Amino acid sequence: MPDPIKQAAIIGGGPAGLMAAEILAQGGQQVHLYDGMPSVGRKFLVAGKGGLNLTHSEANEAFLARYGSRRAQLEPYLASFGPAELRIWAGELGIQTFVGTSGRVFPSDMKAAPLLYRWRQRLSASGVVFHMRHKWLGWNEDRSLRFDTPEGEVSIRADALVLALGGGSWARLGSTGAWTGILAAQGIPIAPFKPANCGFEVSWSEHFRAKFEGQPLKSVVLAFTNSHNISFQRQGEFIITTHGVEGSLIYALSAPLRDEIETNGRAILHLNLAPDRTLKQLAERLDQARGKRSIASHLEKAVGIKGVKAGLLWEFVPKADFSDPQKLAAAIKALPVPLNKPRPLDEAISSAGGLSFAALDECLMLRTLPGVFCAGEMLDWEAPTGGYLMTACFATGRAAGLGALSWLNKQ
Ligand SMILES: Cc1cc2nc3c(=O)[nH]c(=O)nc-3n(C[C@H](O)[C@H](O)[C@H](O)COP(=O)(O)OP(=O)(O)OC[C@H]3O[C@@H](n4cnc5c(N)ncnc54)[C@H](O)[C@@H]3O)c2cc1C
């Protein structure tokens, strides 16, 4: 006798929830997917705006290291469904991928919408029923699920449940983090959300802000040493914002910067504005007679520092040091920029914190709520941008789907 079909509920239609739905539908179960928004995958679509970075092509060891202290927890799921499997999966949907110059992997047209459209079609064809505008409110006393819908509150019974409710940033796309209250009330341990891959606030002068807001700093090196004497250094670019700084180079160091501010109230970045020249070269060139040239024009002619780079020097270097070539050269090589605090969680690309792995078994089932599985960014891990976020969402979504499938088959 084949196993009787059971009802599986997925709440959350981001990449993690859609992947869980796919696995359960392939396993022959009746799958109902609920989401509070009018359509699924809103954050996925926004992620595709500047080019959907699905995953990364770097070697496995380097790839896994991106998950930092949560590597051990995520490794089993990434071993079953990592970058290679994700690319094959996308290919089966008719979405070819390519490796960009940075090693990041994108769909060949860079877009998220065609992938999401085909995926949703395939899920519907395999029997997944989508229930939009269903905001999960928690459980009734009889363990049925409570949803707020345009028709009022409804209750739904499910034999297995996958929660894939997302993190806490960009709430307008549906991931409001409201689920933390529901699960905390059930005694599930949850680490508070923190911004990850976020910008930081700097106390710019009005003059600097007005002149340089929105301007990029290209080919600079950021260095940062935290209070445990651990150093971080990276080359890239970032943008001056009205509140401070943001962009890929800042995001790459945002986790240690955020943690330093949390511990010590602030963090100081050291910015190398001329990575291609040595301190000695800079000092010698700045020491050349400047004649009638202004200091600004001397900086530009002697060492090519102008525009926003020069603006940063005027912002943070004492005026007297501009006539001292050694001190000015030292500032160009390592300009201290004090960061006050991270920008708010809602603006961040992703969130750190979330549901503790200690609450889950190896199938991502809540130990205290059998039959309830969790996946995606709602779990307590973080990673830099570069496709690592999406890959772990797909991998944990798949693992939670497999866990729920095996749970249903055992019932
Ligand atoms: C601007 C931006 C760019 C990004 N770019 C990239 C990138 O290029 N590469 C990358 O790897 N990552 C990127 N990310 C991160 C990536 O999009 C997320 O990590 C990923 O979407 C998380 O997937 P998820 O399925 O866990 O949650 P989500 O995609 O957040 O989905 C959660 C779903 O749950 C629903 N939901 C939440 N609460 C409830 C409730 N109570 N009831 C019903 N439904 C609910 C939400 O409506 C939502 O649809 C980007 C993020 C942003 C904001």
Side-chain angles (χ1 to χ4, degrees), residues 3-34:
D3 287 334
I5 292 174
K6 313 253 179 23
Q7 180 148 318
I10 316 284
I11 312 180
L18 293 173
M19 198 45 134
E22 180 153 275
I23 295 291
L24 281 154
Q26 280 168 359
Q29 301 299 335
Q30 198 173 47
V31 184
H32 291 264
L33 189 142
Y34 302 88

Side-chain angles (χ1 to χ4, degrees), residues 69-313:
S69 61
R70 294 295 183 276
R71 171 188 170 150
Q73 285 86 350
L74 290 169
E75 195 169 340
Y77 313 117
L78 292 164
S80 303
F81 196 84
E85 291 78 12
L86 183 46
R87 293 185 71 185
I88 292 169
W89 171 86
E92 285 166 359
L93 263 182
I95 303 292
Q96 299 312 316
T97 53
F98 74 97
V99 179
T101 44
S102 58
R104 295 175 181 220
V105 175
F106 301 91
S108 45
D109 63 357
M110 303 291 279
K111 293 180 184 154
L115 191 159
L116 184 64
Y117 178 78
R118 288 181 190 203
W119 195 9
R120 204 186 178 291
Q121 296 281 95
R122 190 166 80 180
L123 288 169
S124 292
S126 66
V128 176
V129 184
F130 290 87
H131 305 266
M132 297 298 99
R133 295 190 167 93
H134 275 60
K135 189 175 153 215
W136 182 52
L137 300 175
W139 287 273
N140 290 305
E141 273 188 12
D142 65 359
R143 302 309 292 170
S144 58
L145 299 163
R146 291 176 58 211
F147 289 94
D148 181 30
T149 78
E151 284 74 45
E153 191 172 322
V154 297
S155 297
I156 282 141
R157 289 207 156 275
D159 301 303
L161 170 63
V162 177
L163 297 174
L165 299 160
S169 73
W170 287 61
R172 63 190 176 281
L173 303 177
S175 345
T176 60
W179 60 265
T180 52
I182 303 173
L183 292 186
Q186 300 282 325
I188 311 288
I190 293 160
F193 280 134
K194 297 175 194 177
N197 297 302
C198 57
F200 288 86
E201 298 194 0
V202 181
S203 306
W204 301 129
S205 66
E206 271 314 316
H207 172 77
F208 181 85
R209 181 181 290 119
K211 207 161 170 202
F212 298 113
E213 180 188 344
Q215 296 224 7
L217 271 123
K218 297 194 175 179
S219 299
V220 290
V221 172
L222 285 191
F224 163 65
T225 302
N226 71 12
S227 37
H228 304 294
N229 238 0
I230 303 173
S231 295
F232 306 86
Q233 184 166 310
R234 230 166 217 266
Q235 182 153 14
E237 57 185 74
F238 67 92
I239 294 173
I240 303 295
T241 67
T242 187
H243 301 289
V245 287
E246 68 173 39
S248 56
L249 184 56
I250 300 291
Y251 299 158
L253 296 188
S254 64
L257 288 168
R258 175 200 66 211
D259 293 346
E260 180 73 5
I261 293 173
E262 199 172 280
T263 318
N264 290 324
R266 70 173 191 161
I268 298 186
L269 275 181
H270 284 91
L271 189 53
N272 183 345
L273 297 168
D276 298 337
R277 295 182 192 216
T278 64
L279 180 68
K280 189 163 169 278
Q281 285 168 340
L282 287 171
E284 279 170 6
R285 290 182 141 262
L286 288 167
D287 204 19
Q288 286 164 6
R290 83 171 151 101
K292 285 188 183 149
R293 285 205 301 256
S294 67
I295 294 180
S297 146
H298 185 53
L299 258 176
E300 182 176 351
K301 292 264 157 40
V303 291
I305 297 280
K306 57 180 179 169
V308 61
K309 288 186 176 175
L312 277 168
L313 290 175

